Amino acid sequence: MPTALITGITGQDGSYLADLLLSKGYRVVGLVRRSSTMVFGRLAHIQDEIELVQGDLHDQGSLVSIVERYRPDEVYNLAAQSFVPMSWNQPVLTGDATALGVARLLEAIRLVHPEAHFYQASSSEIFGKAREVPQNEETPFYPRTPYGVAKVFGHWITVNYREKHGTFACSGILYNHESPRRGLEFVTRKITHGAARIKLGLADELRLGNLESRRDWGFAGDYVRAMWLMLQHDEADDYVVCRGETHSVRDFCDAAFGHVGLDYGDYVVQDPRFYRPAEVDLLVGDPQRARDKLGWTPKVSFEELVQMMVERDLEILRSKGIP
Ligand code: NDP
Ligand code: GDR
């Protein structure tokens, strides 16, 4: 039975990856950081099938001990301060976790278990002020936020450990991927949750920032499959993972409200508080390498994703006794 260590297991991607690896017969170990309220909502359905161990990307010693104790065949580094606007409020913390955290984990692997295969959660935010459209693995980086800058470090340190130390290390440059388990502060879930609340009479407006922003949105369940495929290949490489098509925030609102028979124009209010100081340019990727080398293709369409998210938000609200 292979062992996988997942950092960020309590997050959106961590929970989907844990589902996938359990279905493939892995022993799944998740690194969690200590908190006064240990609530692992996204893992409730698999809590008896996984092992959780305390550690933190800020703490080198904890990473060394965990890698030494479990000697995982595969390590997926999904942990990060992942909310882009917050990286302007806490740029140093973001750099420490999202950039240096990667180096700490790679060091732990190099020191105690160099055979492990390593996956780094890189991001389309490294392209930022995009030098070309669509972006591929050779497109130069131009991050526009402290988060993007930290992810550039994470990406290059992964490439450098592969080239210098021979670590089997892959960097997945993933574009936005969403799901019913997405955090409520990200725009897609904010919209589907907002539309569901309005439909059920719990709110009468939804305040958003720039409705013209465009993203290449996919389903998280499809994207974690690409992570796993990268670590099964016979050579380590970097891959762009995306659908290759964009939609605006406005399109997303239209689809989400439309699904519950409402017109978003009657409820969505643009609020300057949610505008960003520096927006990224058009981020749309070219997933050809992932398709050709890994045989990866996304299965869930934009429309199916929006509907899945709205339906689940209605279900969650109704299960709380709301009609
Ligand atoms: P989430 O924000 O849902 O999850 C982040 C996870 O990181 C949580 O489990 C969080 O733990 C953990 N974490 C944060 N800081 C630390 C730390 N110092 N030590 C240990 N764990 C920590 O992110 P997603 O699941 O959406 O994303 C997964 C990864 O993929 C992230 O690295 C993100 O930057 C990257 N990414 C995501 C994309 C997306 O569209 N979702 C696209 C491209 C990249 P806790 O629960 O305690 O807060
Ligand atoms: P992003 O995702 O910054 O792309 O990062 P987010 O959903 O936060 O924003 C997407 C776009 O929507 C616009 N927007 C709003 N965003 C939020 N959060 N709230 C609003 O009210 C709102 N109104 C409009 C934003 O301006 C932006 O253009 C995600 C994260 O998962 C990162 O960790 C990951 O690396 C990237 O995707 C790829």
Side-chain angles (χ1 to χ4, degrees), residues 8-14 31-33 42 55-58 77-82 97-98 121-124 147 151 174-178 182-183 186:
I9 194 166
T10 55
Q12 171 189 255
D13 290 8
L31 179 149
V32 294
R33 49 184 176 167
R42 295 184 177 106
D56 198 302
L57 284 190
H58 297 291
N77 183 36
L78 309 186
Q81 190 302 95
S82 76
T98 306
S122 197
S123 161
S124 52
Y147 170 84
K151 284 289 182 187
L174 271 53
Y175 284 60
N176 299 54
H177 45 280
E178 319 295 317
R182 185 60 141 153
F186 297 94

Side-chain angles (χ1 to χ4, degrees), residues 16 33 43 82 88 95 118 153 173 197 202 260:
Y16 279 102
R33 49 184 176 167
L43 301 173
S82 76
W88 285 110
F118 176 79
F153 178 91
I173 307 173
R197 280 174 56 80
L202 300 169
V260 291

